[in-house]
């Protein structure tokens, strides 16, 4: 009797969730090749003019004074916009901009403060300059849409969405605060994402705007999927016969689609369970395992002092190709991060001398101030990352891994060229790395560094999962149709 109730539970869970699980498999395969739209740093920098320091007439303190804001900005950048240098300031979660070659007048008003017609015209001009050889066909002021949900864009909202007449059917999103292009999408990218990320994450704008509601829906759907797959595997094992076989020497009592569902379920059932479980875990149920990120306190201790506009000196360019400056603090000293399309380098803000490399001793000394971790366990230079940190040797060739002997074995990965903490790990985040990246993305040795082999593995396992769910959907549909009849 109990076994019958388990069969009924599995059957009706499958009828309710079968299509969801199939779409998760299909959309996951799409996501292997087409990611969610974003404007990468390299893409953004490639569209900027090279910095021309000779055009800069204001220092950071003078430009900041023109904003009328009190206190200090949290971040300051200098880059070219519309062939003119401009400062970008971030304060209280909002970006604003000031021209660096002018000191009075309405020119220094943010787009948001201008009349609507002028603001829209500025956004259109920014989009056309960014794309080149394309003309805007429409410009709309929006707060959110399907492709601009990311919280990383909050400091720029509302956004101007500018449609262009190029062959790629591009749509660019321009910040109403700074006039910068902050997101780009193409027609094909948007179409594939409807079949990929949107379905996979149930990323429909009205639902995604209600973050906790969205999280709970996905969380419970994934949990129900885990229950469905686990129950199915257990029932499948109960019905298989290896020694005392069924008639005609069969190991399964089923025929047709039911036979496929049984046999494939025994083969791919474990993968389905681990894949659904790891997806469920990505939503941090009950506050369980998750990635580790730097706290505000850690960032402040790493900086060693508050960043102030009075400390920001404009260094002379030592090479061409520099697209942007950003000022930062490390160990109480002010530096300028110089960005080009290929790399980032550091310049001493006071002397203007380029910094070639920070020593391990300097980085370890500052890392020891990040928390009460006790003794240093190890400090090792990495050239190809490790199991918990993916390193691109062309972008970050010198990374120091600093590990402490605390209870959580806290570890930091530091770029010795820029002083950036690229990642941090503890025992909690390491478990999450294996349970999510390992089970959900097949990021496990020996597949970690073999992209083609990993994709073939994912395709093979996903094919089994899709065949299993298609068979289940057919069986469920037949059952429902008989009920209706």
């Amino acid at each position: 009797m109990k076994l019958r109730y388990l069969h009924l539970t599995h059957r009706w869970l499958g009828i309710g969730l079968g299509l969801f699980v199939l779409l998760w498999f299909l959309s996951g395969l799409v996501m292997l090749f087409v990611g969610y739209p974003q404007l990468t740093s390299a893409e953004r920098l490639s569209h900027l003019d090279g910095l021309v320091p000779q055009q800069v007439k204001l220092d950071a303190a003078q430009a900041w004074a023109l904003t009328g804001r009190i206190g200090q900005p949290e971040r300051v950048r200098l880059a070219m916009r519309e062939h003119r240098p401009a400062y970008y300031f971030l304060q209280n979660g909002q970006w604003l901009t000031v021209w660096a070659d002018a000191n009075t007048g309405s020119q220094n008003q943010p787009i948001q403060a201008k009349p609507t017609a002028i603001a829209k015209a500025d956004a259109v001009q920014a989009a056309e300059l960014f794309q080149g050889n394309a003309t805007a066909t429409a410009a709309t002021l929006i707060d959110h849409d399907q492709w601009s949900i990311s919280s990383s864009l909050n400091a720029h909202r509302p956004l101007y969405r500018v449609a262009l007449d190029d062959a790629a059917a591009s749509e660019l999103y321009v910040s109403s605060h700074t006039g910068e292009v902050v997101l780009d999408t193409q027609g094909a990218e948007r179409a594939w994402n409807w079949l990929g990320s949107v379905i996979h994450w149930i990323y429909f704008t009205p639902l995604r705007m209600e973050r906790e509601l969205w999280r709970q829906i996905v969380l419970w759907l994934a949990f129900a999927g885990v229950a469905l797959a686990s129950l199915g595997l257990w029932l499948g094992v109960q019905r298989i016969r290896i020694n005392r076989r069924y008639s005609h020497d069969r190991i399964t009592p089923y025929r047709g689609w039911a036979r496929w569902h049984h046999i494939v379920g025994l083969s791919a059932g474990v993968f389905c369970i681990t894949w659904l479980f790891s997806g469920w875990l990505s939503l941090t149920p009950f506050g369980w395992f998750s990635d580790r990120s730097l706290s505000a306190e850690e960032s402040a201790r790493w900086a060693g002092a508050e960043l102030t506009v009075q400390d920001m000196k404009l260094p002379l360019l030592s090479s061409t190709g520099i697209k942007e400056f950003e000022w930062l603090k490390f160990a109480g000293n002010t530096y300028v991060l110089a960005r080009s399309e290929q790399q980032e380098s550091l310049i001493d803000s006071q002397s203007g001398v380029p910094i070639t490399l920070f020593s391990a001793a300097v980085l370890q000394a500052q890392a020891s101030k990040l928390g009460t971790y006790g003794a240093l366990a190890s400090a090792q230079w990495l050239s190809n990352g490790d199991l918990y940190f993916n390193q691109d040797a062309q972008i970050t060739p010198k990374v120091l891994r600093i590990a402490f002997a605390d209870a959580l074995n806290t570890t930091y990965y530091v770029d010795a060229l820029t002083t950036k903490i690229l990642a941090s790990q503890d025992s909690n985040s390491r478990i999450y790395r294996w349970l999510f990246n390992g089970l959900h993305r097949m990021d496990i040795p020996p597949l970690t560094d073999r992209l083609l082999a990993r994709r073939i593995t994912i395709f093979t396992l996903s094919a089994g999962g899709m065949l299993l769910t298609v068979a289940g959907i057919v069986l469920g549909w037949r059952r429902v149709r008989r009920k209706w009849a």
Side-chain angles (χ1 to χ4, degrees), residues 26-213:
L26 288 170
S27 58
L29 293 180
V30 173
M31 291 172 66
L32 286 177
F33 302 96
V34 184
Y36 200 72
Q38 63 174 323
L39 182 66
T40 66
S41 178
E43 287 176 317
R44 181 180 67 85
L45 292 169
S46 70
H47 289 273
L48 296 180
D49 293 335
L51 264 176
V52 184
Q54 295 79 7
Q55 292 186 25
V56 179
K57 305 303 181 185
L58 305 177
D59 62 27
Q62 292 171 319
W64 177 244
L66 290 174
T67 67
R69 300 292 184 94
I70 60 173
Q72 294 288 342
E74 296 142 26
R75 290 180 59 188
V76 180
R77 297 183 287 117
L78 175 67
M80 300 297 285
R81 175 183 152 213
E82 299 174 19
H83 313 302
R84 299 172 60 189
Y87 285 100
Y88 299 95
F89 300 100
L90 178 67
Q91 187 187 54
N92 298 327
Q94 184 183 81
W95 281 104
L96 60 154
T97 184
V98 174
W99 292 116
D101 60 354
N103 55 15
T104 59
S106 61
Q107 297 181 71
N108 272 320
Q109 285 186 316
I111 288 182
Q112 198 177 33
K114 296 181 179 180
T116 303
I118 297 176
K120 183 178 289 189
D122 284 351
V124 166
Q125 181 183 10
E128 291 178 342
L129 282 173
F130 182 93
Q131 196 69 5
N133 301 318
T135 303
T137 59
T140 309
L141 184 66
I142 64 166
D143 194 62
H144 295 80
D145 71 359
Q146 184 63 54
W147 315 116
S148 60
I149 299 173
S150 172
S151 60
S152 65
L153 299 175
N154 288 348
H156 296 281
R157 300 187 200 279
L159 306 169
Y160 281 97
R161 183 180 61 209
V162 182
L164 299 168
D165 64 356
D166 59 346
S170 300
E171 290 184 355
L172 305 185
Y173 295 73
V174 180
S175 168
S176 65
H177 297 275
T178 66
E180 295 175 285
V181 173
V182 293
L183 175 66
D184 67 332
T185 70
Q186 284 75 46
E189 182 183 38
R190 295 190 295 272
W192 278 111
N193 264 276
W194 281 109
L195 301 175
S197 301
V198 175
I199 289 176
H200 200 78
W201 297 329
I202 316 182
Y203 232 48
F204 301 100
T205 307
L207 177 60
R208 189 63 182 85
M209 292 295 294
E210 302 294 333
R211 177 172 174 77
E212 186 55 29
L213 174 62

Side-chain angles (χ1 to χ4, degrees), residues 386-429:
D386 61 18
L387 289 173
Y388 302 98
F389 173 68
N390 294 320
Q391 180 181 359
D392 187 332
Q394 291 185 335
I395 299 175
T396 53
K398 298 294 290 185
V399 173
L400 183 67
R401 181 179 63 199
I402 304 172
F404 290 93
D406 62 316
L408 296 177
N409 191 20
T410 306
T411 304
Y412 297 94
Y413 298 83
V414 183
D415 182 353
L417 298 177
T418 66
T419 75
K420 286 184 178 180
I421 298 179
L422 303 172
S424 63
Q425 297 282 356
D426 58 19
S427 56
N428 181 296
S429 62

